[in-house]
Amino acid sequence: MSIVVPAILPKTRENLDAALARLVPVAAVENVQIDIVDGEFAKPASWPYAGDEKWELPMTERFRYDLDLMVHAPEASIARWVGLGASRITLHAESTTALSHLIADFKQRYGHEAGFTPGSLALGLALGIETDIATIESVISDIDYVQFMGIAHIGKQGQPFDTRVLRKIHALRVRHPTMTIQVDGGVSLKTASALLEAGVDRLVVGSALLKAEDVASELAAFEVLGEKYGVYER
């Protein structure tokens, strides 16, 4: 499995289709993250909240979808996305006041299992740059991965990398050495080495990948770094 998960933050369905079309020829891309922004928890709103658009996941025969739900009260939309075929759901710890209840309900409804076995439904928690990792300590045994945000303001691609995330990654890796850690926001070939050295397993890459002249070559360069830092041996 690639250490890179391409991330798409589509304003419209046309934006989503265009980004997916760039990824189709790249055989190494199996999972794609779609950033879903409701315009309330984070701004500005993205597809499908940005307009009266149909909720659907295109090209499910080609891709497995990770849904990063940057939405207020995510429990209202989880079932809808799962029903559409999402394989991984990322919830932001700050988006609910009932985190333990939400995760318990998820487990009861979907019986997700640890790891990324094909066909399973994985659950992860995202933490903003200002959020202490202690926030998720009581539920960490019930999730499959932690996603650290590497930028100060979520919901917008192309923001500068916030180096404060490196200390948080290292701290979680020390406390929970077997937990899968991924980072979203500010990830590029310039920042990837520091992230991998800190203990990251997966790199969620948005604009740095999709704006590259050759997506396949850019992704391959990330994979070389993964081998250098021994990600595939963990």
Side-chain angles (χ1 to χ4, degrees), residues 42-58:
K43 298 181 179 180
S46 70
W47 171 89
Y49 287 94
D52 185 17
E53 298 195 55
K54 184 177 180 180
W55 289 43
E56 60 182 353
L57 293 175

Side-chain angles (χ1 to χ4, degrees), residues 76-194:
S77 58
I78 291 173
R80 197 169 184 180
W81 288 117
V82 171
L84 289 170
S87 61
R88 299 169 87 237
I89 298 290
T90 302
L91 305 176
H92 286 251
E94 307 88 353
S95 69
T96 178
T97 57
L99 188 59
S100 297
H101 175 76
L102 180 59
I103 293 175
D105 183 67
F106 187 98
K107 290 182 65 178
Q108 182 178 9
R109 286 176 181 268
Y110 309 111
H112 74 286
E113 59 189 78
F116 308 106
T117 304
S120 68
L121 178 62
L123 175 66
L125 285 179
L127 287 177
I129 199 72
E130 301 283 356
T131 304
D132 195 301
I133 60 176
T135 302
I136 63 171
E137 195 65 42
S138 64
V139 296
I140 200 163
S141 62
D142 295 317
I143 62 176
D144 300 307
Y145 59 96
V146 173
Q147 174 175 292
F148 284 108
M149 303 307 295
I151 53 178
H153 304 287
I154 66 172
K156 299 178 182 179
Q157 287 187 339
Q159 292 184 68
F161 179 67
D162 194 321
T163 57
R164 288 179 294 172
V165 74
L166 296 172
R167 295 192 298 273
K168 298 177 71 174
I169 294 165
H170 178 71
L172 188 73
R173 177 58 70 206
V174 170
R175 291 190 199 180
H176 303 281
T178 62
M179 173 56 65
T180 297
I181 299 174
Q182 62 187 46
V183 172
D184 182 15
V187 181
S188 68
L189 288 173
K190 292 181 179 179
T191 62
S193 292

Side-chain angles (χ1 to χ4, degrees), residues 2-6 23 26-30 189 209 212 214-225 232:
S2 173
I3 64 167
V4 174
V5 179
L23 298 172
V26 186
V29 175
E30 298 177 359
L189 288 173
L209 185 65
D214 186 329
V215 174
S217 295
E218 191 80 358
L219 188 146
F222 280 103
E223 302 293 2
V224 169
L225 288 175
Y232 302 104

Side-chain angles (χ1 to χ4, degrees), residues 190-209:
K190 292 181 179 179
T191 62
S193 292
L195 289 167
L196 294 169
E197 187 171 12
V200 168
D201 303 291
R202 291 162 60 98
L203 301 168
V204 181
V205 188
S207 55
L209 185 65

